[in-house]
Amino acid sequence: KFLGPNFTESYCWPSVARGCDVVAISYQGNDPFVYIPPLLTLLQLKSCYKALTNKSGPLALILCPGWKKAQLVFELLKTYERCSRQFHPMLIILGQNKAAASSVKIQGCEVIVTTPYSFLRLFEHHNLFCRLCHLVLDEVEVLFSDAAEQVFTILDCYKKASVSEEWEYSLHQIIGVGTRWNEHITRLIKEFMNDPYVVITAVEEASIYGNVQQVVQPCVNSERIAVLLKILDFTHSNPQKVLVFTNSVNEADVIHEALKSNSIFSLKIHKESNSKYILEQWTKKHSSGTPILLVSTDDCMQSLGITDATCVIHFSFPSPRIFGQRLRTMSDHFCNDYSVDQERIKTRSVILLTENTDCHALGILRFLQHAEAEIPPELHDFTAKMLEAEEEKKFSRPLCAYLKTFGICKNRAACPDRHQINMQMDIPQNIPDKILQAPGYVTILPLHIVSATNYFGRIVDKQKDQYTILAEEINEYFKNPSNKISVKNVKALAFYGLCEKRLFHRVQVVEIYPKEEENLFFSVKIKYIDEGRTSQVQSCQLLHLPARFQCLPPQAVEFIVCRVKPIDKETEWNPEVTHYIHHKIKGKPHEAKIVHTLGNTAWVDQMVGI
């Protein structure tokens, strides 16, 4: 059901399949499909590896920025391996146990998928470069931002291993794919690649690679014309081709008239204009060595097809999408540091920043930071207010799980949850008053393990635990068959009883799913209010729960263990670690010191099994 390669893949696949070194930066750069099909094509050509038949070890190494991405790549390889010869890919994620690294068996494996940290642990015990022909850096910008030292160590080893004579007739390929340009990619290309094929389909990233100077000019909205004239005085010192972009026809007319009254020759184009005449003038005027200026609305960019401008002035503030399209008009002059040296035409992008700057400022600010442009305090202040306003919209959302677990959320802008305290929502819940008044060591019972450091469970009263008494009463009550009354009219947020493995639990209906035509009953999402876990059951399984069993508040509390986080700068726990902790602690009493509480969450430091 594959329809064919997308725009970026159309450029990358031929060069990867020919064995070239490739760097690909695109909006789809985090999709492994950018390199997997052509890499598998190469691996099927046994003739490429004849010189290496006497050696053992992998032919290809795919480095991913974390265990989760490595898992995805591995699963894709297993899927598409069915269409080709068997090359026995291996997913290798190692912790700090040296015995585990030394016991890994890689005989017969031709493709290793791993992370930089795991690979170096493996490399301590295995020679992995004897036959290595293909080194893939998946999400190259993330690898360089999180593990630059480790990646360059691997690149150095790869480079040294391939200088011997026996490699003269063997493939030696490095592939780097990602979504953003990174300063380390320059070193990757210059020191480790051989005449690489560089594909950049994200125009903003191409402008960074192409060394376009980004300038932000703060001004009052009413003074934009005056500021524009000053900028043009500067640009007219050299014969340049200047494009002034605006988003309205009316503004284009105003700019054109202002330039005319200041004796500056300019062209003007919007949808009603004759584009053929304008293009002729754009080419003709500049050939005589004089500067040329074109005022254009955004909707004319594509029809004009201009790519040889030397300066773009953003008279109206652009959205990130429009910003990229405007930059494309200078693409003929984007520098290419890796071609033959030649005289460069400097290119500039000037943004007029006014008090009327709109909601797109945040996206543009992120780009300017990424481009290492000089950012005026006005833009920082404006975007800080915008971020504050965005956070206020999330005020009724739950507190961000990453913030609670690791103390930081790496992607606050995209995260749907809040990152600040809401005193109404964050007042302590389900935590006994005596513990809040005198926090200290308590007995906790982890019952639902979310991750290695995040659990739901109960605080157990050592003297007289009310829930233990209630649970006994509930189970005794439902032993009588006449008390097992199914609920006919299920309501959201109501409390019910539920039998699971001969034990009865208090549950709350969180969501009611639409009834399917062929089914007599409908599904509901429930929460076990004394354990913290959720599940999906049929409505007919819910039992009427007498009011006396609803008096005790829900007992489930979220526990987060302080000062513990995953190795290798991972942002999520590997399921193997969580699985191990699950078997170690679930249902077993622990002594824990509560050091902080917010809402239904208690932070513990430390937590010790009894």
Side-chain angles (χ1 to χ4, degrees):
K1 296 180 180 178
F2 183 66
L3 300 175
N6 63 29
F7 183 67
T8 305
E9 289 161 358
S10 299
Y11 279 96
C12 293
W13 286 10
S15 49
V16 172
R18 285 198 299 269
C20 303
D21 287 343
V22 177
V23 170
I25 306 296
S26 80
Y27 302 121
Q28 300 84 30
N30 55 3
D31 183 357
F33 222 66
V34 170
Y35 63 84
I36 283 180
L39 182 62
L40 296 191
T41 302
L42 260 179
L43 287 168
Q44 288 185 92
L45 303 173
K46 290 189 176 181
S47 58
C48 293
Y49 312 103
K50 271 184 180 178
L52 305 168
T53 50
N54 298 328
K55 297 179 180 292
S56 63
L59 292 172
L61 168 64
I62 301 175
L63 292 177
C64 299
W67 66 264
K68 210 167 191 178
K69 184 59 181 288
Q71 180 80 44
L72 170 67
V73 171
F74 175 71
E75 286 168 3
L76 284 171
L77 286 173
K78 292 295 284 182
T79 300
Y80 294 106
E81 186 190 31
R82 298 171 200 159
C83 314
S84 64
R85 73 175 181 85
Q86 297 291 303
F87 47 87
H88 310 291
M90 282 183 74
L91 172 66
I92 301 175
I93 303 294
L94 294 168
Q96 291 173 332
N97 184 344
K98 291 190 176 182
S102 61
S103 64
V104 173
K105 300 284 187 288
I106 56 172
Q107 281 82 4
C109 164
E110 294 189 3
V111 181
I112 288 178
V113 184
T114 186
T115 66
Y117 294 96
S118 287
F119 180 80
L120 290 175
R121 290 182 194 118
L122 186 68
F123 184 49
E124 287 178 22
H125 304 276
H126 301 272
N127 187 353
L128 299 165
F129 292 100
C130 294
R131 294 204 313 154
L132 195 64
C133 298
H134 313 277
L135 174 56
V136 180
L137 306 179
D138 189 296
E139 292 190 50
V140 63
E141 77 283 6
V142 184
L143 286 171
F144 279 133
S145 63
D146 290 351
E149 185 184 337
Q150 289 74 17
V151 172
F152 280 122
T153 299
I154 295 165
L155 285 164
D156 280 326
C157 293
Y158 185 47
K159 186 178 181 179
K160 286 170 187 172
S162 61
V163 293
S164 57
E165 286 181 22
E166 58 199 40
W167 278 92
E168 191 177 347
Y169 303 106
S170 299
L171 275 169
H172 183 257
Q173 182 182 44
I174 299 174
I175 303 164
V177 297
T179 56
R180 304 181 86 191
W181 185 258
N182 179 289
E183 60 181 350
H184 292 300
I185 299 175
T186 306
R187 182 182 164 192
L188 169 71
I189 291 173
K190 285 185 173 179
E191 292 185 24
F192 301 98
M193 290 184 159
N194 177 28
D195 192 19
Y197 197 82
V198 181
V199 181
I200 308 178
T201 58
V203 185
E204 307 93 296
E205 300 304 317
S207 73
I208 295 174
Y209 167 82
N211 209 19
V212 174
Q213 183 190 6
Q214 296 289 346
V215 179
V216 182
Q217 181 65 58
C219 63
V220 180
N221 194 58
S222 58
E223 295 177 2
R224 279 187 298 169
I225 295 289
V227 172
L228 174 65
L229 293 170
K230 283 182 186 175
I231 295 167
L232 292 174
D233 279 344
F234 177 77
T235 57
H236 276 207
S237 60
N238 296 312
Q240 291 197 39
K241 300 180 102 171
V242 182
L243 265 168
V244 179
F245 280 113
T246 180
N247 54 17
S248 77
V249 173
N250 185 46
E251 240 176 26
D253 290 336
V254 170
I255 298 165
H256 184 66
E257 288 304 318
L259 295 169
K260 195 175 177 181
S261 62
N262 281 273
S263 304
I264 298 172
F265 173 77
S266 67
L267 300 166
K268 175 185 70 172
I269 187 167
H270 43 70
K271 276 218 165 173
E272 290 78 34
S273 310
N274 183 345
S275 59
K276 188 179 177 183
Y277 167 76
I278 298 294
L279 277 172
E280 283 173 2
Q281 290 294 308
W282 176 264
T283 310
K284 184 179 169 186
K285 286 283 178 187
H286 195 66
S287 60
S288 62
T290 56
I292 186 165
L293 178 64
L294 172 60
V295 182
S296 172
T297 52
D298 292 322
D299 51 15
C300 294
M301 275 188 289
Q302 285 185 318
S303 60
L304 280 173
I306 290 173
T307 54
D308 63 343
T310 57
C311 177
V312 165
I313 299 171
H314 308 270
F315 192 82
S316 63
F317 201 84
S319 68
R321 184 182 66 84
I322 291 293
F323 186 62
Q325 289 178 5
R326 289 177 179 180
L327 293 177
R328 189 187 291 276
T329 59
M330 297 186 286
S331 57
D332 285 359
H333 302 302
F334 286 177
C335 293
N336 186 346
D337 294 339
Y338 317 104
S339 62
V340 179
D341 287 339
Q342 54 185 336
E343 194 176 330
R344 304 294 182 198
I345 295 173
K346 289 185 178 179
T347 49
R348 283 204 315 159
S349 161
V350 184
I351 299 172
L352 300 188
L353 178 72
T354 73
E355 71 276 16
N356 294 342
T357 300
D358 61 13
C359 59
H360 298 302
L362 203 53
I364 299 297
L365 172 67
R366 287 199 196 97
F367 170 76
L368 293 170
Q369 287 170 332
H370 173 43
E372 297 180 357
E374 191 175 323
I375 299 165
E378 292 90 339
L379 184 55
H380 273 299
D381 294 343
F382 182 81
T383 49
K385 287 175 186 173
M386 279 184 61
L387 280 170
E388 199 176 309
E390 285 297 313
E391 275 297 322
E392 284 174 8
K393 290 178 189 174
K394 304 174 185 177
F395 214 50
S396 60
R397 294 281 306 164
L399 196 60
C400 168
Y402 286 101
L403 187 68
K404 288 198 291 185
T405 309
F406 300 120
I408 188 169
C409 176
K410 282 191 172 181
N411 197 1
R412 283 181 64 157
C415 179
D417 295 330
R418 66 185 163 92
H419 303 88
Q420 56 188 18
I421 303 301
N422 178 339
M423 293 308 292
Q424 291 176 317
M425 292 179 71
D426 293 328
I427 55 168
Q429 303 164 21
N430 306 348
I431 298 169
D433 291 340
K434 62 181 180 181
I435 291 169
L436 294 171
Q437 289 157 10
Y441 286 96
V442 294
T443 302
I444 68 171
L445 198 65
L447 297 167
H448 172 50
I449 314 305
V450 179
S451 73
T453 54
N454 183 201
Y455 333 120
F456 282 87
R458 292 192 293 109
I459 296 172
V460 181
D461 194 320
K462 295 174 187 175
Q463 282 136 11
K464 186 181 180 184
D465 188 51
Q466 290 182 308
Y467 176 75
T468 305
I469 299 165
L470 178 69
E472 288 171 1
E473 289 176 0
I474 289 173
N475 279 278
E476 192 62 39
Y477 172 80
F478 282 119
K479 274 183 185 177
N480 186 343
S482 62
N483 291 333
K484 295 177 185 175
I485 305 166
S486 293
V487 180
K488 291 179 181 177
N489 185 20
V490 177
K491 293 179 181 177
L493 304 181
F495 296 100
Y496 301 103
L498 179 74
C499 182
E500 184 185 75
K501 296 178 183 176
R502 297 185 181 181
L503 288 176
F504 291 87
H505 302 266
R506 298 193 302 169
V507 299
Q508 183 181 30
V509 172
V510 179
E511 189 177 352
I512 300 172
Y513 299 110
K515 185 178 175 182
E516 293 178 9
E517 287 182 18
E518 63 274 14
N519 291 343
L520 286 170
F521 306 102
F522 50 88
S523 297
V524 292
K525 183 181 179 182
I526 56 158
K527 182 178 181 179
Y528 294 77
I529 62 171
D530 302 309
E531 292 186 16
R533 62 191 167 103
T534 57
S535 181
Q536 188 174 314
V537 298
Q538 292 291 303
S539 59
C540 60
Q541 293 176 255
L542 299 177
L543 303 172
H544 174 70
L545 187 70
R548 69 177 186 273
F549 297 141
Q550 299 182 33
C551 295
L552 187 71
Q555 296 294 292
V557 175
E558 181 183 27
F559 300 107
I560 294 172
V561 181
C562 300
R563 295 190 295 119
V564 187
K565 63 180 180 180
I567 56 170
D568 303 345
K569 296 183 182 178
E570 293 278 8
T571 55
E572 290 185 52
W573 286 101
N574 189 300
E576 285 188 38
V577 183
T578 299
H579 183 71
Y580 176 81
I581 296 291
H582 177 277
H583 283 282
K584 202 88 170 160
I585 70 169
K586 187 182 176 184
K588 297 172 184 174
H590 289 71
E591 286 289 302
K593 185 178 182 182
I594 295 178
V595 292
H596 193 60
T597 57
L598 277 178
N600 194 37
T601 303
W603 281 262
V604 296
D605 186 8
Q606 300 169 338
M607 174 175 151
V608 183
I610 299 171

